[in-house]
């Protein structure tokens, strides 16, 4: 379903960032070409070298690099992508996108792109329940972003609750849905189940 599709994977600074390696492999296994953008905080949880090796592409991290290296990265990435996936999406990046703040490479690239975007929140359950975070998630949905429900279970802080990154297979499936034409969207269908008649 993702064969030939170009995905920009945004990784932010949450403990679930370690799962982005598995997500990168899963997207590529489905036929996608993946380029990774990491926030500075994300590099505290997983190395750029790991993601570069898995994606077979340069990993983008810095806003201010020589032009010949990234060719205005935020514009080039926005034009490259068929879709964006942000996983994990911290409360910080959710707030930035919802408020129109573009102060690093990932938030600037998202602002420059009018492409389908899948946001996968992952954070402590109390952070996720914060009314400001919930309001920002609501705003993102109203703006047309697709926001997945966080998983429920044991969190890194040893508490139980919502805030886990959705399973990698679920993220891939949602990404496929994001890029699949909705041929019957808005249509009303009547299905009848009459008898089978044969000579």
């Amino acid at each position: 379903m993702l064969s030939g599709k170009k995905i920009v994977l945004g990784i932010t600074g949450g403990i679930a960032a370690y799962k982005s390696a598995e997500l990168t492999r899963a997207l590529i296994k489905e036929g996608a070409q993946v380029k990774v953008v990491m926030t500075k905080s994300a590099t505290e949880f997983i190395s750029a070298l790991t993601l570069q090796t898995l994606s077979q592409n340069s990993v983008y991290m810095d806003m201010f690099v020589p032009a010949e290296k990234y060719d205005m990265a935020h514009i080039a990435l926005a034009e490259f992508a068929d879709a964006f996936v942000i996983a994990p999406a911290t409360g910080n990046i959710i707030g930035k996108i919802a408020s129109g703040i573009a102060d690093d490479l990932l938030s600037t690239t998202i602002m420059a792109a009018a492409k389908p975007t899948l946001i996968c929140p992952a954070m402590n359950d109390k952070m996720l329940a914060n009314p400001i975070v919930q309001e920002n998630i609501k705003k993102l949905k109203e703006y047309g972003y697709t926001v997945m429900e966080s998983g429920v279970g044991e969190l890194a802080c040893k508490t139980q609750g919502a805030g886990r990154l959705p399973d990698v297979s679920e993220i891939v499936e949602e990404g496929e849905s994001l890029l699949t034409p909705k041929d019957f969207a808005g249509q009303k269908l009547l299905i009848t189940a009459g008898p089978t008649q044969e000579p």
Side-chain angles (χ1 to χ4, degrees):
M1 294 292 287
L2 291 175
S3 180
K5 299 299 183 182
K6 298 173 181 177
I7 306 294
V8 171
L9 174 60
I11 304 171
T12 64
I15 186 62
Y18 79 91
K19 296 182 180 179
S20 58
E22 183 185 352
L23 177 57
T24 300
R25 290 188 66 183
L27 291 168
I28 290 171
K29 187 175 180 181
E30 292 297 316
Q33 183 179 350
V34 178
K35 290 190 177 182
V36 174
V37 179
M38 299 178 73
T39 65
K40 183 178 179 182
S41 296
T43 64
E44 299 291 332
F45 294 94
I46 187 170
S47 78
L49 180 59
T50 298
L51 295 156
Q52 178 179 311
T53 302
L54 292 172
S55 69
Q56 294 295 295
N57 281 307
S58 296
V59 172
Y60 298 78
M61 294 177 287
D62 301 313
M63 278 285 291
F64 304 105
V65 295
E68 67 272 9
K69 185 175 179 183
Y70 285 167
D71 191 26
M72 291 187 65
H74 63 294
I75 302 300
L77 288 165
E79 292 176 351
F80 163 84
D82 293 312
F84 285 82
V85 176
I86 304 177
T90 58
N92 186 48
I93 194 67
I94 289 169
K96 284 183 181 182
I97 298 170
S99 302
I101 296 172
D103 63 355
D104 62 12
L105 183 57
L106 180 57
S107 57
T108 303
T109 302
I110 294 295
M111 182 175 283
K115 304 288 178 69
T117 301
L118 175 62
I119 297 174
C120 308
M123 64 195 79
N124 171 270
D125 58 328
K126 292 180 178 61
M127 294 172 70
L128 182 62
N130 184 294
I132 298 171
V133 174
Q134 288 299 310
E135 182 64 25
N136 285 335
I137 289 173
K138 180 182 175 185
K139 283 170 67 176
L140 291 179
K141 291 178 179 178
E142 290 171 352
Y143 291 146
Y145 295 93
T146 300
V147 182
M148 289 189 74
E149 291 292 324
S150 295
V152 177
E154 184 177 355
L155 305 175
C157 53
K158 303 301 182 187
T159 60
Q160 293 279 338
R164 289 175 59 90
L165 185 71
D167 289 340
V168 166
S169 60
E170 294 174 352
I171 296 173
V172 172
E173 185 177 336
E174 193 67 33
E176 291 174 344
S177 175
L178 202 65
L179 290 168
T180 302
K182 309 298 187 287
D183 295 336
F184 293 105
Q187 301 296 313
K188 296 179 181 178
L189 305 178
L190 173 64
I191 300 174
T192 63
T196 300
Q197 297 181 353
E198 298 180 9

